[in-house]
């Protein structure tokens, strides 16, 4: 839907009450907010600004693009956190210390608010789904203006309007999924040529260390039609690379949501099928997805990757731990043997695939032997990249009640793991040296203005001499120098005429 036309085509002034139907209701509030801001900007003699600060995973990053889209649609400009008039913290709560960190930030914002009387502070994201956090904010941080949850992102304009209309501390946190208007509200994408697309929300896995299922709700998938329609409109906007997002994309399609109801449950249409359908969309050149859970990764998915050159040669497959005892205690539902078997199948079918993972050290009850099993997995798999985490005792999860490993032991294991990880990754990335790879150019190099940076299909970063006209284009690059996690290269084709 062309939001601008809808927005401008409707006479909101003639309405006595806000419309009840979404997303029209939100457009009404955007319109009303613009009127409020017009007045403010006139008396201040300057434009109002915003800043969205994002913590956590791809889900939050994508939600922030929606928040920014709404704020830009209302005509606000982006600014830095300490000068912005509307500051939104999109929080993550996966680690226990996140709460204390947020409260620390809020202390600083309180001072900033004193020097800018216009300043409005809003908090959203996973942390706000927790009752105790909201209670604490209500009691201790009265100067926080708006609090909303992960299921309320689409209604930002309405919540801001309520605050500007005199309501004191606006708190709106839904606990369950409803329709969230992915296709019909604005989005400010960081890149014009690539975009994330939510294919499902929530998680059913209840890994014993993880808070996500408690704050993001039960797993539910968007219908294929809804997803494919969104991707088609992104393509019409110039997007060529899509990242399909979900906490466990391999279980896509078990329960669908449509118009805030679950309309069907189907075993027939699953993730491999969705992947194939996305690839069929004309104009799409690359499709990525994350996260995959090893327990649900099927042979059909491996086939779909193999047969579809548009599916990127990249697999993020969190292993978390290498010991069967720990995997069981984590409730991961796979063994190290099964995991290694998947890796073998993936490599046999898609030899150039880049494999990345998440690993946690210090899960309750982890012995030296268990830890060495984790190091062994890193050795055997040879990951291109490993995201390493120190286990955090997340209250509200079963693992928080289990016997914890002493901090100094965990720290020592973590350092040893990091060492192994960087040795192996450096070995891995070198395998493409002197070959030619297709690179989607993403940005100018932040350290050298004569260089650009982009990514290979397997997600490896490549830097090479270039110009801003290359951004968003696919360029064949010879990978001449290997630099640990990335390559320096040189364009392999004649690029004359690109700057025209
Ligand atoms: N759905 C994804 C991961 C989502 S959370 C999956 O199943 O892999 C991202 C990562 O944060 C996890 O992979 C895990 O390694 C880490 N994580 C989650 N809870 C944690 C905790 N309590 N302490 C430390 N790391 C944690
Ligand atoms: Fe958390 Fe496990 Fe769900 Fe991932 S699969 S979000 S780690 S509960
Ligand atoms: Fe954090 Fe929420 Fe993602 S808790 S990891 S932002 S789903």
């Amino acid at each position: 839907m062309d939001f601008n036309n809808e927005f401008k085509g409707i006479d909101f002034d003639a309405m006595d009450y806000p419309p009840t139907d979404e997303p029209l209701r939100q457009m009404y509030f955007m319109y009303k907010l613009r009127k409020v801001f017009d007045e403010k900007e006139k008396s201040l003699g300057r434009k109002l600004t915003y800043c969205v600060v994002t913590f956590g995973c791809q889900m939050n990053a994508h939600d922030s693009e929606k928040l920014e889209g709404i704020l830009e649609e209302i005509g606000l400009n982006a600014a830095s956190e300490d000068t912005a008039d509307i500051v939104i913290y999109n929080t993550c709560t996966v680690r226990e210390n996140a709460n204390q960190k947020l409260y620390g930030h809020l202390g600083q914002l309180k001072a900033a608010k004193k020097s800018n009387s216009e300043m409005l502070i809003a908090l959203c994201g996973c942390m706000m789904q927790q009752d105790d956090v909201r209670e604490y904010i209500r009691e201790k941080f009265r100067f926080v203006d708006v609090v909303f949850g992960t299921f309320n992102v689409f209604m930002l304009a309405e919540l801001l309007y309520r605050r500007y209309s005199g309501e004191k501390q606006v708190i709106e946190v839904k606990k369950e999924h409803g329709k969230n208007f992915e296709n019909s509200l604005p989005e400010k994408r960081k890149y014009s040529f690539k975009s994330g697309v939510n294919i499902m929300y929530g998680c059913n896995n209840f890994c014993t260390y993880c808070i996500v299922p408690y704050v993001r709700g039960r797993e539910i998938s968007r219908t294929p039609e809804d997803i494919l329609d969104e991707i088609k409109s992104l393509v019409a906007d110039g997007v060529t690379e899509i990242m399909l997002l979900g906490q466990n994309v391999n279980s896509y399609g078990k329960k669908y949501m449509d118009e805030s109801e679950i309309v069907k449950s189907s075993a027939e249409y699953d993730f491999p099928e969705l992947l194939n359908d996305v690839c069929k969309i004309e104009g799409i050149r690359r499709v990525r997805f994350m996260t995959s859970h090893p327990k649900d990764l099927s042979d059909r998915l491996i086939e779909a990757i193999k047969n579809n050159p548009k599916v990127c040669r990249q697999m993020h497959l969190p292993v978390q731990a290498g010991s069967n005892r720990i995997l069981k205690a984590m409730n991961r539902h796979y063994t190290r043997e099964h995991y290694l078997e998947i890796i073998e199948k993936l490599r046999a079918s898609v030899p150039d695939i880049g494999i990345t993972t998440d690993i946690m050290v210090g899960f309750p009850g982890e012995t030296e032997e268990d830890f060495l099993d984790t190091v062994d997995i890193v050795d055997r798999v040879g990951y291109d990249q490993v995201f390493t985490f120190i286990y955090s005792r997340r209250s509200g999860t079963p693992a928080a009640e289990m016997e914890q490993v002493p901090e100094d032991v965990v720290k020592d294991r973590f350092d040893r793991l990091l060492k192994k990880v960087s040795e192996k990754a450096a070995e891995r990335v070198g395998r493409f040296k002197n070959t030619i790879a297709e690179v989607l150019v993403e940005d100018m190099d932040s350290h050298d203005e004569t260089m650009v940076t982009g990514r290979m299909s397997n997600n490896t970063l490549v830097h090479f001499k270039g110009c801003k006209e290359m951004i968003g284009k696919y360029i064949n690059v010879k990978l001449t120098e290997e630099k640990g996690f990335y390559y320096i290269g040189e364009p392999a084709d004649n690029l004359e005429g690109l700057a025209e």
Side-chain angles (χ1 to χ4, degrees):
M1 177 167 90
D2 183 340
F3 179 80
N4 282 315
N5 286 344
E6 289 285 338
F7 196 55
K8 292 188 181 125
I10 295 168
D11 184 2
F12 287 110
D13 280 330
M15 293 182 184
D16 294 329
Y17 301 102
T20 46
D21 286 347
E22 300 286 7
L24 192 64
R25 182 177 172 86
Q26 296 313 313
M27 292 174 199
Y28 169 90
F29 285 111
M30 284 184 224
Y31 180 80
K32 290 285 180 191
L33 268 180
R34 186 62 250 167
K35 296 258 154 178
V36 173
F37 293 159
D38 279 346
E39 286 300 308
K40 283 185 179 293
E41 287 177 355
K42 218 189 289 165
S43 69
L44 289 167
R46 63 174 177 86
K47 292 278 284 177
L48 288 170
T49 56
Y50 76 88
C51 178
V52 180
V53 185
T54 310
F55 301 88
C57 67
Q58 307 270 350
M59 310 287 146
N60 264 17
H62 196 48
D63 281 348
S64 285
E65 292 186 330
K66 293 175 198 165
L67 299 172
E68 290 174 356
I70 292 169
L71 295 167
E72 297 251 331
E73 189 68 41
I74 311 170
L76 301 189
N77 292 338
S80 66
E81 192 183 333
D82 48 344
T83 61
D85 299 299
I86 297 181
V87 177
I88 304 182
Y89 271 42
N90 191 0
T91 61
C92 168
T93 190
V94 93
R95 263 162 281 277
E96 182 70 14
N97 63 2
N99 297 27
Q100 288 315 318
K101 278 197 188 153
L102 175 74
Y103 302 147
H105 276 298
L106 285 179
Q108 287 163 15
L109 279 183
K110 187 176 187 184
K113 196 167 178 166
K114 277 203 180 117
S115 57
N116 176 7
S117 59
E118 282 310 316
M119 191 175 189
L120 181 147
I121 299 170
L123 304 178
C124 65
C126 296
M127 207 186 282
M128 299 307 126
Q129 293 298 127
Q130 295 175 295
D131 300 343
D132 54 333
V133 170
R134 286 196 312 281
E135 206 41 55
Y136 193 74
I137 289 167
R138 208 202 314 252
E139 271 175 27
K140 302 273 190 232
F141 299 104
R142 292 299 307 165
F143 61 91
V144 169
D145 298 282
V146 179
V147 173
F148 59 102
T150 53
F151 305 114
N152 304 83
V153 167
F154 73 93
M155 58 194 298
L156 174 67
E158 177 170 354
L159 301 175
L160 291 178
Y161 187 73
R162 274 168 54 185
R163 177 69 186 104
Y164 284 115
S165 306
E167 208 175 306
K168 278 282 175 281
Q169 191 176 46
V170 180
I171 301 186
E172 194 71 54
V173 176
K174 276 207 297 178
K175 289 293 176 92
E176 283 177 24
H177 300 283
K179 189 156 166 57
N180 43 16
F181 317 102
E182 296 270 2
N183 289 353
S184 39
L185 285 170
E187 239 174 53
K188 185 191 179 196
R189 294 195 310 275
K190 187 168 174 215
Y191 299 100
S192 61
F193 48 87
K194 67 172 191 174
S195 178
V197 170
N198 283 331
I199 62 166
M200 59 206 295
Y201 311 98
C203 182
N204 283 355
N205 290 321
F206 290 96
C207 301
T208 51
Y209 50 81
C210 184
I211 196 76
V212 171
Y214 305 91
V215 293
R216 286 272 173 175
R218 290 296 66 70
E219 184 180 291
I220 189 145
S221 302
R222 289 173 72 193
T223 59
E225 299 75 33
D226 197 21
I227 296 167
L228 296 170
D229 278 353
E230 182 181 351
I231 297 177
K232 282 176 199 156
S233 63
L234 287 168
V235 169
D237 254 11
V239 168
T240 59
E241 184 183 294
I242 292 289
M243 167 79 94
L244 304 173
L245 296 172
Q247 291 296 358
N248 178 10
V249 293
N250 305 122
S251 65
Y252 171 81
K254 293 213 169 113
K255 264 185 181 173
Y256 289 129
M257 107 199 225
D258 190 19
E259 300 292 334
S260 81
E261 285 166 48
I262 298 161
V263 289
K264 55 183 163 177
S265 179
S266 151
E268 289 130 44
Y269 194 91
D270 57 4
F271 184 61
E273 226 154 319
L274 178 71
L275 203 52
N276 286 332
D277 281 348
V278 172
C279 289
K280 281 183 204 144
I281 296 176
E282 214 175 305
I284 285 295
R285 289 208 33 186
R286 282 182 174 182
V287 186
R288 302 184 190 275
F289 52 86
M290 75 185 294
T291 301
S292 293
H293 194 303
K295 80 177 166 65
D296 296 312
L297 198 149
S298 64
D299 291 350
R300 290 188 53 234
L301 177 62
I302 298 178
E303 276 299 293
I305 303 171
K306 178 181 165 186
N307 297 333
N308 235 317
K310 288 185 182 179
V311 179
C312 286
R313 279 26 207 159
Q314 172 200 9
M315 172 65 74
H316 183 59
L317 197 62
V319 67
Q320 310 297 358
S323 134
N324 283 339
R325 211 174 60 80
I326 295 295
L327 286 170
K328 191 153 198 278
M330 286 177 162
N331 195 31
R332 291 290 290 179
H333 292 283
Y334 54 85
T335 59
R336 58 183 278 120
E337 292 76 19
H338 179 62
Y339 185 88
L340 288 168
E341 200 182 304
I342 299 172
I343 299 286
E344 210 167 289
K345 278 191 201 162
L346 270 169
R347 289 234 166 95
S349 299
V350 192
D352 53 345
I353 199 158
I355 301 178
T356 58
T357 200
D358 292 351
I359 292 182
M360 201 184 296
V361 174
F363 183 82
E366 183 189 76
T367 62
E368 177 65 15
E369 202 184 344
D370 293 323
F371 170 70
L372 291 176
D373 279 346
T374 298
V375 177
D376 180 64
I377 283 265
V378 173
D379 228 349
R380 280 170 196 254
V381 175
Y383 292 106
D384 288 70
Q385 202 176 352
V386 180
F387 299 92
T388 45
F389 302 96
I390 288 184
Y391 165 76
S392 165
R393 185 179 196 169
R394 191 70 198 77
S395 51
T397 65
E401 310 303 319
M402 301 176 188
E403 198 187 324
Q404 308 291 306
V405 182
E407 231 174 84
D408 53 334
V409 175
V410 177
K411 180 75 184 65
D412 173 63
R413 287 181 190 161
F414 188 70
D415 292 344
R416 282 151 65 203
L417 179 70
L418 282 187
K419 201 159 156 257
K420 171 59 83 187
V421 163
S422 51
E423 273 167 29
K424 292 300 287 186
E427 254 173 50
R428 266 322 275 171
V429 75
R431 71 195 189 279
F432 297 109
K433 193 169 171 186
N434 289 327
T435 62
I436 290 174
E438 186 193 67
V439 173
L440 169 56
V441 180
E442 296 189 343
D443 257 320
M444 295 306 292
D445 190 319
S446 51
H447 304 293
D448 182 346
E449 59 190 28
T450 66
M451 305 277 279
V452 290
T453 149
R455 282 177 195 276
M456 292 162 50
S457 166
N458 73 6
N459 213 34
T460 305
L461 273 171
V462 181
H463 301 251
F464 61 99
K465 281 256 173 288
C467 55
K468 68 176 189 318
E469 285 72 19
M470 289 178 177
I471 294 174
K473 300 212 161 60
Y474 292 82
I475 293 180
N476 288 321
V477 180
K478 180 154 189 216
L479 308 171
T480 48
E481 222 181 304
E482 174 234 317
K483 292 273 190 187
F485 291 103
Y486 65 94
Y487 282 105
I488 303 281
E490 46 197 51
D493 299 332
N494 181 356
L495 295 172
E496 270 173 41
L498 196 74
E500 281 160 25

